[in-house]
Amino acid sequence: MRSALLLLPFLPAALAARPFLNEPNTGIEEAIGNTPAGTLPDLEHIVGLPDFEWAARRYMNVSSYTYYRNGAAGEWSYRNNLEAYNRFRFRPRMMVDVTNIESTLPTTILGHNFSAPFYISPCARGGLAHAEAEKNFVKAAHDEDILYIPALYASLSVDEIASAKPSNGSQVLFQQVYLNDNDTETKQLFRKVEQLGSKAIVFTVDSAADGNRHRAARYGVGSADSSFTYITWDYYKKLQNMTSLPVVLKGLQSVEDVKLAVEHGAPAVILSNHGGRQLDGTPSALEVALEIHQEAPELFEQIEIYADGGVRYGADVLKLLALGVRAVGLGRPFMFANTYGVEGVKHAIQLLKHEIAIDAGNLGVGDLKKIDASYVKWTNNNWYS
């Protein structure tokens, strides 16, 4: 017993050194591991979002897969994004009527109604996975009634992406942008976005310099936005005067910056570290949301707060919602699902909707709008630190 106790101080370090599992071992190799490289297993065999990456890695060429997969430097932030959710344990409640949980999934994002509290995050180069590229995201988001935010550096132009929407103008899209100090170009872009019917502009602010992406450098697939960029709060105020659309700030990573966003009239912010692709050592969105909950919980009432990064399960979504996040973004899972085209993206959306509902039911949440921080033990267990 005494020898075992002596080992306890070294346990966290030993666990931190464990091999990293990009996807969990849920029997996929035994079930469909014989799928030939360069082909996709039948979509019915994809039972969770991580399965899409397993399939895509075997299907895509190595440089295209790397473009989607890469993270900054040693990829510790990429890894932390995935692992942060498992540091905190649920506190399930029993004997609760959860039979109507599915009817409580719909939410609003900047006043627009959607069927679930998650959206397709902006990711570049959809054409690396499928010939129809971003059109598949538009169509799947429409059919499943969720938000899609196209990336500025998409494979298709903003006009081509907008052309995939139904002609009746019913679908809501936001548009992600990177900006430089050329105000004339910025005004032209904003005018184009407005004309195409986008309902908000999502300004990515966590890419002021090139990403330090070692994995990407090996294959020549580095950052699409590689210059030093002038991004300040004064510049943001100028942008707000260039458009009638709400300008959402994407990439905030501290409670201080969310407070400043409120002070500067931002309608919403997205907690994000760019998928762990820009600066290694940055916090996950869950850690930032927890910081806000602990230090300034009133911010969740003062501004709409969304979050993305490392979400792979319905349980991950629930932990963010429990802290006060309104909607959760996913990027890579949908990019990998796009190898199957529209049906793959729709399948991913359906899987996540189902997981959110059944995980909420098992958590004892009868109404998703009533989930709060009491459903999670927010003490770090250190099992995955």
Side-chain angles (χ1 to χ4, degrees):
M1 175 65 75
R2 184 173 182 274
S3 60
L5 290 173
L6 290 173
L7 292 173
L8 286 177
F10 302 99
L11 186 58
L15 290 172
R18 79 202 183 291
F20 169 55
L21 296 177
N22 198 60
E23 303 107 38
N25 179 9
T26 57
I28 193 169
E29 286 286 349
E30 293 83 354
I32 54 175
N34 61 352
T35 303
T39 63
L40 290 167
D42 290 343
L43 191 57
E44 66 185 28
H45 295 304
I46 303 298
V47 302
L49 297 189
D51 291 356
F52 283 110
E53 181 163 358
W54 180 92
R57 187 171 59 252
R58 300 161 62 96
Y59 173 74
M60 301 174 72
N61 66 59
V62 66
S63 63
S64 295
Y65 169 75
T66 297
Y67 184 80
Y68 290 167
R69 162 61 182 81
N70 77 87
E75 299 184 338
W76 298 107
S77 284
Y78 168 87
R79 172 174 173 167
N80 182 60
N81 280 1
L82 292 167
E83 295 180 341
Y85 298 96
N86 286 320
R87 296 196 186 104
F88 306 100
R89 298 289 172 261
F90 283 121
R91 301 180 62 246
R93 316 294 169 77
M94 302 301 138
M95 313 300 286
V96 176
D97 181 2
V98 299
T99 55
N100 293 314
I101 183 61
E102 290 179 315
S103 68
T104 72
L105 262 63
T107 193
T108 60
I109 300 175
L110 287 184
H112 303 286
N113 296 318
F114 297 100
S115 68
F118 64 88
Y119 58 90
I120 302 176
S121 292
C123 292
R125 309 294 185 243
L128 296 177
H130 194 277
E132 289 296 295
E134 290 80 17
K135 289 183 179 180
N136 293 332
F137 300 128
V138 177
K139 294 174 181 177
H142 172 265
D143 290 351
E144 290 295 323
D145 189 24
I146 69 167
L147 174 65
Y148 168 44
I149 307 175
L152 181 64
Y153 294 130
S155 293
L156 302 178
S157 69
V158 291
D159 297 88
E160 291 172 315
I161 293 171
S163 71
K165 296 191 296 183
S167 58
N168 62 11
S170 61
Q171 185 173 6
V172 172
L173 299 182
F174 295 175
Q175 176 64 53
Q176 181 268 345
V177 296
Y178 293 103
L179 302 172
N180 55 38
D181 57 2
N182 188 322
D183 289 351
T184 299
E185 288 185 359
T186 297
K187 290 177 182 178
Q188 291 174 345
L189 175 60
F190 283 4
R191 190 157 49 246
K192 168 68 76 172
V193 168
E194 292 174 4
Q195 291 170 349
L196 292 174
S198 291
K199 301 303 182 183
I201 291 169
V202 176
F203 178 29
T204 295
V205 298
D206 61 358
S207 184
D210 194 5
N212 182 28
R213 305 176 187 177
H214 295 181
R215 182 189 296 265
R218 300 187 195 283
Y219 297 95
V221 291
S223 173
D225 179 36
S226 58
S227 61
F228 289 97
T229 308
Y230 179 79
I231 303 175
T232 67
W233 290 107
D234 287 341
Y235 180 61
Y236 176 61
K237 293 298 291 185
K238 182 164 70 170
L239 294 178
Q240 290 174 309
N241 292 323
M242 290 184 184
T243 179
S244 61
L245 296 178
V247 182
V248 178
L249 295 174
K250 181 181 187 298
L252 300 194
Q253 299 168 49
S254 68
V255 65
E256 290 88 352
D257 277 349
V258 177
K259 288 179 179 179
L260 286 169
V262 172
E263 291 178 16
H264 287 82
V269 298
I270 302 175
L271 310 179
S272 173
N273 65 6
H274 216 101
R277 294 160 71 91
Q278 287 301 108
L279 174 64
D280 211 7
T282 51
S284 69
L286 180 69
E287 291 167 317
V288 181
L290 180 56
E291 178 182 275
I292 295 170
H293 170 73
Q294 293 173 335
E295 299 183 19
E298 67 278 3
L299 291 173
F300 289 109
E301 303 298 326
Q302 296 172 356
I303 191 172
E304 291 193 10
I305 297 178
Y306 321 132
D308 69 43
V311 174
R312 298 295 184 270
Y313 302 97
D316 301 340
V317 174
L318 293 180
K319 287 175 182 176
L320 287 165
L321 297 180
L323 287 169
V325 169
R326 176 177 286 268
V328 176
L330 293 89
R332 288 184 180 96
F334 288 122
M335 301 303 283
F336 293 128
N338 195 33
T339 55
Y340 288 89
V342 174
E343 293 307 312
V345 181
K346 287 174 61 175
H347 187 52
I349 296 169
Q350 292 162 3
L351 287 173
L352 189 55
K353 284 181 178 178
H354 180 62
E355 283 195 14
I356 292 172
I358 61 174
D359 287 346
N362 285 316
L363 184 57
V365 176
D367 181 345
L368 204 57
K369 307 297 187 298
K370 296 181 180 179
I371 193 171
D372 60 36
S374 69
Y375 285 92
V376 183
K377 182 180 180 182
W378 293 111
T379 303
N380 191 331
N381 291 294
N382 289 320
W383 296 350
Y384 294 88
S385 297

